[in-house]
Amino acid sequence: MSETGTGDVAEAAVDAAAAAAAAASDNWRRAGFAGAAIGVVAAGAAAGVALERLIVGRGMRKKARLALDAAGPYGALRGTPGKAPADDGTALYYEVDEIDPEAAAPRRRRLFGRKTPAPVTVVFSHGYCLSQDSWHFQRAALRGLVRTVHWDQRSHGRSGRGASQAGSGGLPVTIDQLGRDLKAVIDAAAPEGPLVLVGHSMGGMTMMALAAHYPELVRERVVGAAFVGTSSGRLGEVSYGLPVAGVNVVRRVLSGVLRALGSQAELVERGRQATADLFAGLIKRYSFSSKDVDPAVARFAERMIESTPIDVVAEFYPAFAEHDKAEALSVFQGFPVLVLAGDKDLVTPSTHSEAIADTLRNAELVIVPDGGHLVMLEHPEAVTDRLADLLVRVGAVPAAATVGRYGSTAQPGS
């Protein structure tokens, strides 16, 4: 392309970005909200998708999304369903995948009269604005080899809306509440036997809250743990890849803006649809680092995040600034721990994983190159490989077991 042509495209891209940001801001203003603040955030995404908008029409982009939704099998795995009542009555949805006898280790001899010990259960906890389906690749790879529990955090996925948060006098969500929710799921889905806890982002924080409130449960039953792209605290210092001035503005206004948006959820959801391209750009920027992420995987992540109502987004956001569970990490000393993060995670930077590993002397620290926040979807082979190794070390999976294709994106759902 000539210098003149390149300059024209660049100028057109900037104009498109500005127009898109202005349109987004106008949509929010018409809904009666802090349009300027949303416009500032949207502008970053607009710059990232401007060139695509120049060459791909809105109708074509919509058709592409529909085609990906129809073709992508991600999130289609289902297990035996159950519901656990939280301490405030919220119905927490979970699914259990049992061991397939044909895939398990050879049968061992049993002494007469002795009860067969309960199998190890691996409990997967997902992150903010996601669902249990975010573990699709790991679930596909481990299915039948080990007993697993996948659950949806309150107000996410198929779980009920948080009962404590309902109504005008609703209580704010806390990470401590999520820890109690995890205890309720364990009581219902894995009441006995050894446990391996696996958590991504907010799910890892949920594990820390469980340890803070139920240290005896962790010491007596947990034999291994994996913290993926998470943090033990100090999230208020994260820059999210923005310049200092920009991140300070966002921090000052975002909680208030989200509260305002959450109070008018129906109007906001309509505005969200009108600015779908901008949200897709934001989701991609803060979920993935790789340039060549499978479009079906990127769309899968979009669908999970889009399905989280804006009032739920608003309810949960303040809890992260208050999260501080560094002291609770000591409960995880003494058994194998995996700490894993993407090296370009903008939401819970890898330095936060390094801090967890520094506290847990027994931890294996893995930093995945070119990995973003949704590293388990972006680099499923790397995550499943290290998780499978942890399960072998704790005796949950036989060393001779074949863990599929490690959830390879080449064979989705296999």
Side-chain angles (χ1 to χ4, degrees), residues 11-94:
E11 185 177 351
V14 171
D15 290 343
S25 181
D26 188 51
N27 278 328
W28 294 114
R29 271 195 295 270
R30 281 202 297 269
F33 306 125
I38 293 297
V40 168
V41 176
V49 300
L51 189 58
E52 178 192 347
R53 290 172 66 88
L54 284 175
I55 58 177
V56 182
R58 176 178 293 178
M60 189 177 294
R61 289 194 303 275
K62 184 176 180 179
K63 287 180 181 177
R65 281 196 287 268
L66 290 173
L68 290 171
D69 290 348
Y74 304 115
L77 300 175
R78 299 270 65 91
T80 303
K83 289 186 179 179
D87 57 7
D88 65 349
T90 301
L92 303 170
Y93 179 84
Y94 66 84

Side-chain angles (χ1 to χ4, degrees), residues 305-360:
I305 296 170
E306 286 170 354
S307 68
T308 307
I310 192 65
D311 50 342
V312 173
V313 176
E315 283 173 4
F316 275 70
Y317 178 78
F320 301 112
E322 300 170 4
H323 169 61
D324 181 2
K325 290 290 183 287
E327 291 186 8
L329 286 173
S330 63
V331 181
F332 292 94
Q333 294 280 17
F335 52 77
V337 173
L338 169 66
V339 180
L340 185 147
D343 68 338
K344 295 183 175 64
D345 189 333
L346 297 176
V347 180
T348 50
S350 58
T351 52
H352 287 235
S353 288
E354 291 171 3
I356 293 172
D358 287 344
T359 300
L360 297 174

